[in-house]
Amino acid sequence: MAVTGSRGYGSWALLVFGVLVFLGGLSPFLTSGVGCGGQRMTESDTCVSTTVSANHVHSRTSDLTQQRSANRRLGVFGMVVGGATALGSGYMIRLQARARREGRPLRLQVVGQRGRFARLRPRRYDEPRHVRGVVRLRPAEAAASTTKTVEYRARVRCDHCHGTGKDGRKRCRVCRGSGLTGRVPQSVTIRVPAGMRDRSVVRVRGRGVPGRHPRPSGDLLLSVRLVSQGGASSRPAPERERAARESTSSAALPVTVTGNGVRFVVGPTGFLVQHEHRSATGRRDWVDHVELSWPDIADLSFDSDRHDAVVALYAVRAAGGRQHVVDSRALSTAQWQDVAKGVERLSGGRIILDLSRRDRPGGPRDS
């Protein structure tokens, strides 16, 4: 027997109703006064309750203490009923949400019955389910194909009922009708393909939780974790992980320094040098002077031209020849250090700017 769930509006209405009843039952414990028929009682007041049944009128008189006890008994009853209603409807809403995420209707199956009460269970328990685990690899093992033995815990079919959940016509007393045992240790030997990265997933088919007999088993999903040689995870600690993310995010950020009428911008694709230009109205603009990309640059070095003794930064082109970039006097020593760090980082370490040659130029000269 299967019961198909609705769209969930009734569950939400029951949840709201249960919460309201629970709050109503909680109110006698939160207020200091005692209520009787919607009115607040004092020490000298008495509460008269009247009920009519079978053409008879029954009256009950209670003082302040008795009415407080009656209100609290009624409040406990409301808390129990409202709490149970809210929990049950919340559980149904959770099952309906999971069924919607999996793109299937919610079906409840009767798995047992005691007297007039039926025991329901979502049919997803009868379906195969995946199991997640972790496989740890060293960088050398991740680069090349390797064989690993992975240990994990998962539920298996009950040996008593062979996964059917029944012992004859009765429910299996070992697995209680689920057809599965508890989580038991298991191991599997897998072949990890070459080129695995951290957080990638290896799927081992048929090693997950089996469905009700004779349905197949789910899959084992192993998440790859790269570890160091000592066996510790290569993932940084939480306090270092934040710094690693910040350094990774800032690895491609450009470096910009502004000196004496010169702006030097080092970016992930190359660098740009701009000169300051002031208009007649005093407005300052930046005009592009030199812009080169990293593939077009073979080297950067400080030197002086034979016609000019001023030390300047020259770019040696990959196609041959060199180009004047900017005079060394335009930036301070600290600014040149920032430029050198940016050049080495953003060029991938291919180009290293030697700042010691600012005082001892001697690179290639024009012929």
Side-chain angles (χ1 to χ4, degrees), residues 200-221:
S200 56
V201 178
V202 178
R203 179 186 292 267
V204 185
R205 298 193 178 277
R207 297 307 298 261
V209 178
R212 183 178 291 273
H213 182 79
R215 296 187 181 184
S217 300
D219 300 336
L220 174 62
L221 306 179

Side-chain angles (χ1 to χ4, degrees), residues 152-228:
Y152 64 100
R153 299 177 65 89
R155 304 180 69 182
V156 297
R157 281 198 173 100
C158 176
D159 294 333
H160 185 75
C161 64
H162 305 288
T164 59
K166 294 183 179 180
D167 185 5
R169 299 184 61 180
K170 297 181 179 180
R171 187 180 64 170
C172 177
R173 65 180 183 275
V174 177
C175 63
R176 297 181 179 179
S178 64
L180 302 173
T181 64
R183 298 178 63 198
V184 296
Q186 299 188 63
S187 63
V188 60
T189 301
I190 62 173
R191 185 75 177 178
V192 181
M196 299 300 295
R197 298 182 178 180
D198 191 38
R199 301 289 177 171
S200 56
V201 178
V202 178
R203 179 186 292 267
V204 185
R205 298 193 178 277
R207 297 307 298 261
V209 178
R212 183 178 291 273
H213 182 79
R215 296 187 181 184
S217 300
D219 300 336
L220 174 62
L221 306 179
L222 297 175
S223 179
V224 176
R225 296 290 188 275
L226 297 183
V227 299
S228 60

Side-chain angles (χ1 to χ4, degrees), residues 257 264 271 273 297 299-306 308-316 322-341 343 351-366:
V257 295
F264 203 118
F271 68 83
V273 177
I297 303 173
D299 190 16
L300 288 174
S301 61
F302 290 97
D303 198 5
S304 59
D305 189 66
R306 62 178 179 174
D308 190 358
V310 177
V311 178
L313 179 65
Y314 286 86
V316 180
R322 67 174 187 169
Q323 181 177 356
H324 178 274
V325 178
V326 64
D327 292 345
S328 62
R329 300 172 299 182
L331 302 177
S332 64
T333 302
Q335 290 175 331
W336 277 119
Q337 291 175 353
D338 294 340
V339 171
K341 293 178 183 179
V343 168
I351 302 175
I352 297 178
L353 182 59
D354 188 4
L355 297 179
S356 63
R357 299 179 65 177
R358 290 180 57 207
D359 301 328
R360 295 180 290 101
R365 293 175 177 271
D366 291 333

Side-chain angles (χ1 to χ4, degrees), residues 16-351:
V16 174
F17 174 77
V19 172
L20 293 178
V21 172
F22 180 83
L23 295 178
L26 190 62
S27 60
F29 298 92
L30 300 179
T31 58
S32 58
V34 178
C36 176
Q39 297 180 357
R40 191 66 60 87
M41 293 182 60
T42 61
E43 291 290 342
S44 58
D45 294 337
T46 57
C47 182
V48 179
S49 303
T50 303
T51 58
V52 179
S53 61
N55 297 326
H56 295 283
V57 179
H58 301 277
S59 299
R60 185 176 64 88
T61 304
S62 57
D63 57 9
L64 182 66
T65 304
Q66 294 173 345
Q67 186 63 25
R68 179 183 290 111
S69 301
N71 290 346
R72 291 190 174 183
R73 286 195 300 269
L74 184 61
V76 170
F77 177 78
M79 291 171 60
V80 172
V81 174
T85 304
L87 290 177
S89 57
Y91 180 69
M92 287 297 301
I93 291 173
R94 179 173 175 268
L95 296 180
Q96 291 164 352
R98 180 173 295 180
R100 283 195 297 269
R101 287 197 303 268
E102 297 176 359
R104 58 175 178 82
L106 175 64
R107 293 185 176 90
L108 300 178
Q109 187 177 16
V110 178
V111 296
Q113 188 169 359
R114 290 183 177 180
R116 298 181 179 180
F117 298 96
R119 182 167 174 259
L120 300 179
R121 183 181 63 193
R123 294 196 61 181
R124 67 181 181 86
Y125 288 103
D126 298 336
E127 301 173 358
R129 281 168 282 168
H130 299 324
V131 176
R132 298 187 179 274
V134 176
V135 54
R136 291 176 172 82
L137 302 175
R138 293 191 293 270
E141 295 175 335
S145 180
T146 184
T147 302
K148 297 288 290 186
T149 299
V150 181
E151 297 182 355
Y152 64 100
R153 299 177 65 89
R155 304 180 69 182
V156 297
R157 281 198 173 100
C158 176
D159 294 333
H160 185 75
C161 64
H162 305 288
T164 59
K166 294 183 179 180
D167 185 5
R169 299 184 61 180
K170 297 181 179 180
R171 187 180 64 170
C172 177
R173 65 180 183 275
V174 177
C175 63
R176 297 181 179 179
S178 64
L180 302 173
T181 64
R183 298 178 63 198
V184 296
Q186 299 188 63
S187 63
V188 60
T189 301
I190 62 173
R191 185 75 177 178
V192 181
M196 299 300 295
R197 298 182 178 180
D198 191 38
R199 301 289 177 171
S200 56
V201 178
V202 178
R203 179 186 292 267
V204 185
R205 298 193 178 277
R207 297 307 298 261
V209 178
R212 183 178 291 273
H213 182 79
R215 296 187 181 184
S217 300
D219 300 336
L220 174 62
L221 306 179
L222 297 175
S223 179
V224 176
R225 296 290 188 275
L226 297 183
V227 299
S228 60
Q229 296 296 331
S233 176
S234 61
R235 185 183 181 186
E239 58 272 7
R240 297 196 303 269
E241 185 179 0
R242 188 181 302 105
R245 288 198 303 265
E246 292 176 356
S247 61
T248 302
S249 60
S250 62
L253 294 179
V255 176
T256 304
V257 295
T258 303
N260 185 17
V262 174
R263 175 188 287 173
F264 203 118
V265 182
V266 184
T269 59
F271 68 83
L272 170 66
V273 177
Q274 297 175 319
H275 285 176
E276 182 182 6
H277 174 72
R278 291 188 177 272
S279 63
T281 59
R283 178 182 177 183
R284 184 175 68 172
D285 297 323
W286 293 100
V287 181
D288 295 348
H289 176 63
V290 178
E291 184 176 7
L292 294 174
S293 59
W294 298 124
D296 298 335
I297 303 173
D299 190 16
L300 288 174
S301 61
F302 290 97
D303 198 5
S304 59
D305 189 66
R306 62 178 179 174
H307 303 294
D308 190 358
V310 177
V311 178
L313 179 65
Y314 286 86
V316 180
R317 290 180 172 272
R322 67 174 187 169
Q323 181 177 356
H324 178 274
V325 178
V326 64
D327 292 345
S328 62
R329 300 172 299 182
L331 302 177
S332 64
T333 302
Q335 290 175 331
W336 277 119
Q337 291 175 353
D338 294 340
V339 171
K341 293 178 183 179
V343 168
E344 182 178 0
R345 174 170 57 86
L346 295 170
S347 65
R350 187 176 65 87
I351 302 175

